[in-house]
Coordinates of all heavy atoms in Angstrom, one line a residue:
Chain A
R8 N -2.7 10.6 -1.9 CA -3.4 11.9 -2.2 C -2.8 12.5 -3.4 O -3.6 13.1 -4.2 CB -3.1 12.8 -1.0 CG -4.0 12.4 0.2 CD -3.9 13.4 1.4 NE -5.0 13.1 2.3 CZ -5.0 13.4 3.6 NH1 -4.0 14.2 4.1 NH2 -6.1 13.2 4.4
D12 N -5.1 13.6 -6.6 CA -5.0 14.9 -7.2 C -4.9 14.9 -8.7 O -5.5 15.7 -9.5 CB -3.8 15.7 -6.7 CG -4.0 16.2 -5.2 OD1 -5.1 16.2 -4.8 OD2 -2.9 16.5 -4.5
D15 N -8.3 14.1 -10.0 CA -9.2 15.2 -10.0 C -8.9 16.2 -11.0 O -9.9 16.8 -11.6 CB -9.0 15.8 -8.6 CG -9.6 14.9 -7.5 OD1 -10.4 14.0 -7.8 OD2 -9.3 15.1 -6.3
D16 N -7.6 16.5 -11.4 CA -7.4 17.4 -12.5 C -8.1 17.0 -13.8 O -8.6 17.8 -14.5 CB -5.8 17.5 -12.7 CG -5.2 18.4 -11.7 OD1 -5.9 19.0 -10.9 OD2 -3.9 18.4 -11.7
E23 N -15.6 20.5 -17.3 CA -15.8 21.8 -18.0 C -16.1 21.5 -19.4 O -16.9 22.2 -20.0 CB -14.4 22.6 -17.9 CG -14.3 23.2 -16.4 CD -13.5 24.5 -16.5 OE1 -12.2 24.4 -16.6 OE2 -14.1 25.6 -16.5
R25 N -17.8 19.0 -20.5 CA -19.2 18.5 -20.6 C -20.1 19.7 -20.4 O -21.1 19.8 -21.1 CB -19.4 17.5 -19.4 CG -20.6 16.7 -19.5 CD -20.9 15.8 -18.3 NE -21.9 14.8 -18.6 CZ -23.2 15.1 -18.6 NH1 -23.7 16.3 -18.5 NH2 -24.1 14.1 -18.9
R48 N -35.1 10.5 -20.3 CA -33.8 10.5 -20.8 C -32.7 10.4 -19.6 O -31.7 9.6 -19.7 CB -33.4 11.6 -21.7 CG -32.1 11.4 -22.5 CD -31.7 12.5 -23.3 NE -30.3 12.6 -23.2 CZ -29.3 11.8 -23.8 NH1 -29.8 10.8 -24.4 NH2 -28.1 12.0 -23.6
K52 N -30.0 7.4 -18.9 CA -28.6 7.7 -18.8 C -28.0 7.1 -17.5 O -26.9 6.5 -17.5 CB -28.4 9.2 -18.8 CG -27.0 9.7 -18.7 CD -26.4 9.8 -20.1 CE -25.0 9.9 -20.0 NZ -24.3 10.0 -21.3
K59 N -21.9 0.4 -16.3 CA -20.4 0.4 -16.7 C -19.5 0.2 -15.5 O -18.3 0.1 -15.7 CB -20.1 1.8 -17.4 CG -20.7 1.9 -18.8 CD -20.3 3.2 -19.4 CE -21.2 3.6 -20.5 NZ -20.9 2.9 -21.8
H61 N -18.0 -1.5 -11.7 CA -17.6 -2.9 -11.4 C -17.9 -3.3 -9.9 O -17.4 -4.3 -9.5 CB -16.1 -3.1 -11.6 CG -15.8 -2.8 -13.1 ND1 -15.5 -1.5 -13.6 CD2 -15.6 -3.6 -14.2 CE1 -15.3 -1.6 -14.9 NE2 -15.3 -2.8 -15.3
N65 N -20.0 1.2 -6.4 CA -19.7 2.2 -7.4 C -20.9 2.5 -8.4 O -21.0 3.6 -8.9 CB -18.5 1.7 -8.2 CG -17.2 1.9 -7.5 OD1 -17.2 2.6 -6.4 ND2 -16.1 1.4 -8.0
Y73 N -23.9 11.3 -11.1 CA -24.6 11.8 -12.3 C -25.9 12.5 -12.1 O -26.3 13.5 -12.8 CB -24.7 10.8 -13.4 CG -23.4 10.9 -14.3 CD1 -22.2 10.2 -13.9 CD2 -23.4 11.7 -15.3 CE1 -21.1 10.3 -14.6 CE2 -22.2 11.9 -16.1 CZ -21.1 11.2 -15.7 OH -20.0 11.4 -16.4
H75 N -26.2 14.5 -9.8 CA -25.8 15.9 -9.5 C -25.2 16.5 -10.7 O -25.4 17.7 -10.9 CB -24.8 15.8 -8.3 CG -25.4 15.5 -7.1 ND1 -26.2 16.5 -6.4 CD2 -25.5 14.4 -6.3 CE1 -26.7 15.9 -5.3 NE2 -26.3 14.7 -5.2
E162 N -44.3 32.4 14.1 CA -43.3 31.6 14.8 C -42.9 32.2 16.1 O -42.6 33.4 16.2 CB -42.1 31.4 13.9 CG -41.1 30.4 14.4 CD -39.9 30.3 13.6 OE1 -39.6 31.2 12.7 OE2 -39.1 29.3 13.7
S164 N -39.9 31.7 19.1 CA -38.6 31.1 19.2 C -38.6 29.9 20.2 O -37.7 29.1 20.1 CB -37.5 32.1 19.6 OG -37.8 32.6 20.9
A166 N -41.9 28.1 21.3 CA -43.0 27.3 21.0 C -43.0 26.7 19.6 O -43.7 25.8 19.2 CB -44.3 28.0 21.3
G278 N -34.5 35.4 26.0 CA -34.5 35.7 24.5 C -35.8 35.4 23.8 O -35.9 35.6 22.6
S309 N -38.5 8.6 -3.4 CA -37.3 8.6 -2.8 C -36.4 9.7 -3.3 O -36.3 9.9 -4.6 CB -36.6 7.3 -2.9 OG -35.3 7.4 -2.4
N325 N -29.0 30.5 0.3 CA -28.9 30.0 1.7 C -30.3 29.8 2.3 O -31.1 30.7 2.5 CB -28.1 31.0 2.6 CG -27.9 30.4 4.0 OD1 -27.9 29.2 4.2 ND2 -27.8 31.3 4.9
E330 N -40.3 23.8 6.5 CA -41.4 23.3 7.3 C -42.3 22.5 6.4 O -42.3 22.8 5.2 CB -42.3 24.5 7.9 CG -41.6 25.3 9.0 CD -41.3 24.5 10.2 OE1 -42.0 23.5 10.5 OE2 -40.4 24.9 11.0
S331 N -43.1 21.6 6.9 CA -44.1 20.9 6.1 C -45.4 20.9 6.7 O -45.5 20.9 8.0 CB -43.6 19.4 5.8 OG -43.6 18.8 7.0
R332 N -46.4 21.0 5.9 CA -47.8 21.0 6.4 C -48.6 20.0 5.6 O -48.4 19.8 4.4 CB -48.5 22.3 6.3 CG -47.9 23.4 7.2 CD -48.3 23.1 8.6 NE -49.7 23.1 8.9 CZ -50.3 22.3 9.8 NH1 -49.5 21.6 10.6 NH2 -51.6 22.3 9.9
N338 N -54.3 12.6 2.3 CA -53.8 12.2 3.6 C -52.3 11.7 3.5 O -51.9 11.0 2.5 CB -54.6 10.9 4.1 CG -56.0 11.4 4.5 OD1 -56.2 12.3 5.3 ND2 -57.0 10.9 3.8
Y341 N -47.6 16.1 1.8 CA -47.2 17.3 2.4 C -46.8 18.4 1.4 O -46.4 18.2 0.3 CB -45.9 17.1 3.2 CG -46.2 16.0 4.3 CD1 -45.8 14.7 4.0 CD2 -46.7 16.3 5.5 CE1 -46.1 13.7 5.0 CE2 -46.9 15.4 6.5 CZ -46.6 14.0 6.2 OH -46.9 13.1 7.0
Chain B
R8 N -24.9 14.7 -27.9 CA -25.1 13.7 -26.9 C -24.1 12.6 -27.0 O -23.7 12.1 -26.0 CB -26.6 13.1 -27.0 CG -27.6 14.1 -26.5 CD -29.0 13.5 -26.5 NE -29.8 14.4 -25.7 CZ -31.1 14.4 -25.8 NH1 -31.8 13.6 -26.6 NH2 -31.8 15.2 -25.0
D12 N -21.5 11.3 -24.2 CA -21.3 10.0 -23.8 C -19.9 9.5 -23.7 O -19.5 8.8 -22.7 CB -22.1 9.0 -24.8 CG -23.6 9.1 -24.7 OD1 -24.0 9.6 -23.7 OD2 -24.3 8.7 -25.7
D15 N -18.5 11.0 -20.6 CA -19.1 10.3 -19.4 C -18.4 9.0 -19.1 O -18.1 8.6 -18.0 CB -20.6 10.1 -19.5 CG -21.3 11.4 -19.4 OD1 -20.8 12.4 -18.8 OD2 -22.5 11.5 -19.8
D16 N -18.0 8.2 -20.2 CA -17.3 7.0 -20.1 C -16.0 7.3 -19.3 O -15.6 6.5 -18.4 CB -17.0 6.4 -21.4 CG -18.2 5.6 -22.0 OD1 -19.1 5.5 -21.2 OD2 -18.2 5.2 -23.1
E23 N -14.1 5.4 -10.7 CA -13.9 4.1 -10.0 C -12.4 4.0 -9.6 O -12.2 3.5 -8.5 CB -14.2 3.0 -11.1 CG -15.7 2.8 -11.3 CD -16.0 1.4 -11.7 OE1 -15.8 1.0 -12.8 OE2 -16.5 0.6 -10.8
R25 N -10.7 6.6 -8.6 CA -10.6 7.4 -7.4 C -11.1 6.7 -6.2 O -10.6 6.8 -5.0 CB -11.4 8.7 -7.6 CG -11.1 9.8 -6.6 CD -12.0 11.0 -6.8 NE -11.5 12.2 -6.1 CZ -11.5 12.4 -4.8 NH1 -12.1 11.5 -4.0 NH2 -11.1 13.5 -4.3
R48 N -9.2 19.7 5.4 CA -8.6 19.2 4.2 C -9.7 19.3 3.0 O -9.3 19.7 2.0 CB -8.1 17.8 4.4 CG -7.2 17.4 3.2 CD -6.7 16.0 3.3 NE -6.8 15.5 1.9 CZ -6.0 15.8 0.9 NH1 -5.0 16.6 1.1 NH2 -6.2 15.2 -0.3
K52 N -9.2 21.4 -0.5 CA -9.3 20.7 -1.8 C -10.3 21.4 -2.7 O -10.1 21.7 -3.8 CB -9.8 19.3 -1.5 CG -10.0 18.4 -2.6 CD -8.7 17.7 -3.0 CE -8.8 17.2 -4.4 NZ -7.5 16.5 -4.8
K59 N -9.0 25.9 -10.6 CA -8.6 25.3 -11.8 C -9.7 25.5 -13.0 O -9.5 25.2 -14.1 CB -8.4 23.8 -11.6 CG -7.2 23.4 -10.8 CD -7.0 21.9 -10.7 CE -6.0 21.6 -9.7 NZ -4.6 21.7 -10.0
H61 N -12.6 27.7 -15.4 CA -12.4 28.9 -16.3 C -13.6 29.8 -16.3 O -13.8 30.7 -17.2 CB -12.0 28.5 -17.7 CG -10.8 27.8 -17.7 ND1 -10.7 26.4 -17.5 CD2 -9.5 28.2 -17.9 CE1 -9.4 26.0 -17.6 NE2 -8.7 27.1 -17.8
N65 N -18.6 27.4 -13.5 CA -17.9 26.1 -13.4 C -17.1 25.9 -12.1 O -17.0 24.9 -11.6 CB -16.9 25.9 -14.6 CG -17.7 25.6 -15.9 OD1 -18.8 25.3 -15.8 ND2 -16.9 25.6 -17.0
Y73 N -17.6 18.2 -6.2 CA -16.6 17.6 -5.4 C -17.1 17.4 -3.9 O -16.7 16.4 -3.2 CB -15.2 18.3 -5.4 CG -14.4 17.5 -6.4 CD1 -14.5 17.8 -7.8 CD2 -13.6 16.5 -6.1 CE1 -13.8 17.1 -8.7 CE2 -12.9 15.7 -7.0 CZ -13.0 16.0 -8.3 OH -12.3 15.3 -9.3
H75 N -19.9 16.3 -3.4 CA -20.6 15.1 -3.5 C -19.6 13.9 -3.7 O -19.8 12.9 -3.1 CB -21.6 15.1 -4.7 CG -22.8 15.9 -4.3 ND1 -23.7 15.5 -3.4 CD2 -23.1 17.2 -4.7 CE1 -24.7 16.5 -3.3 NE2 -24.3 17.6 -4.0
E162 N -49.3 12.6 15.0 CA -49.6 13.3 13.7 C -51.0 13.1 13.2 O -51.5 11.9 13.3 CB -48.6 12.9 12.6 CG -48.8 13.6 11.3 CD -47.8 13.1 10.2 OE1 -47.3 12.0 10.4 OE2 -47.6 13.8 9.2
S164 N -53.6 13.4 9.8 CA -53.4 13.6 8.4 C -53.9 14.9 7.9 O -53.6 15.4 6.8 CB -54.0 12.4 7.6 OG -55.4 12.4 7.8
A166 N -54.5 17.8 10.3 CA -54.1 18.9 11.2 C -52.6 19.0 11.4 O -52.1 20.0 11.8 CB -54.7 18.7 12.6
G278 N -60.9 10.3 4.6 CA -59.6 9.6 4.9 C -58.9 10.1 6.2 O -57.9 9.6 6.5
S309 N -24.8 27.6 5.6 CA -25.4 27.4 4.3 C -25.2 25.9 3.9 O -24.1 25.4 4.0 CB -24.8 28.3 3.3 OG -25.2 28.0 2.0
Y321 N -27.3 9.0 0.0 CA -26.1 8.2 -0.4 C -26.1 6.8 0.0 O -25.5 5.9 -0.5 CB -24.8 8.9 -0.1 CG -24.6 10.1 -0.9 CD1 -24.3 11.3 -0.4 CD2 -24.8 10.1 -2.3 CE1 -24.1 12.4 -1.2 CE2 -24.6 11.2 -3.1 CZ -24.3 12.3 -2.5 OH -24.1 13.5 -3.3
N325 N -34.7 5.8 2.1 CA -35.8 6.6 1.6 C -36.4 7.4 2.8 O -37.0 6.9 3.8 CB -37.0 5.8 1.1 CG -38.0 6.6 0.4 OD1 -37.8 7.7 0.0 ND2 -39.2 6.0 0.3
E330 N -39.2 17.1 10.0 CA -39.8 18.1 10.8 C -38.8 18.9 11.6 O -37.7 18.3 11.8 CB -40.8 17.5 11.8 CG -42.0 16.8 11.2 CD -43.0 17.8 10.6 OE1 -43.0 19.0 10.9 OE2 -43.8 17.4 9.7
S331 N -39.0 20.2 11.9 CA -38.1 20.8 12.8 C -38.8 21.4 14.0 O -40.0 21.7 13.9 CB -37.4 21.9 12.0 OG -38.3 22.9 11.6
R332 N -38.1 21.5 15.1 CA -38.7 22.1 16.4 C -37.6 23.0 16.9 O -36.4 22.7 16.9 CB -39.0 21.0 17.4 CG -40.2 20.1 17.0 CD -41.5 20.8 17.0 NE -41.7 21.4 18.4 CZ -42.4 22.5 18.5 NH1 -43.0 23.2 17.5 NH2 -42.6 23.0 19.7
N338 N -32.6 30.5 20.8 CA -33.6 31.2 19.9 C -33.2 31.0 18.4 O -32.1 31.3 18.1 CB -33.8 32.6 20.3 CG -34.3 32.7 21.7 OD1 -35.5 32.3 22.0 ND2 -33.6 33.3 22.6
Y341 N -32.7 25.1 15.5 CA -33.7 24.0 15.3 C -33.1 22.6 15.5 O -31.9 22.4 15.1 CB -34.3 24.1 13.9 CG -35.0 25.4 13.7 CD1 -34.3 26.4 13.1 CD2 -36.3 25.7 14.1 CE1 -34.9 27.7 12.9 CE2 -36.9 26.9 14.0 CZ -36.2 27.9 13.3 OH -36.8 29.1 13.1

Side-chain angles (χ1 to χ4, degrees):
Chain A
R8 285 187 168 161
D12 288 343
D15 290 342
D16 280 352
E23 286 208 283
R25 195 185 195 283
R48 193 181 138 75
K52 181 89 199 181
K59 290 183 197 279
H61 300 84
N65 283 351
Y73 267 84
H75 289 286
E162 185 183 16
S164 64
S309 173
N325 188 25
E330 293 293 340
S331 62
R332 291 290 302 148
N338 295 299
Y341 304 92
Chain B
R8 285 184 168 162
D12 288 343
D15 289 342
D16 279 352
E23 287 209 283
R25 195 185 196 283
R48 193 182 137 74
K52 182 88 199 178
K59 291 185 195 279
H61 300 84
N65 283 352
Y73 266 84
H75 289 286
E162 184 184 14
S164 63
S309 174
Y321 286 131
N325 189 23
E330 293 293 340
S331 62
R332 291 290 303 149
N338 295 299
Y341 304 92

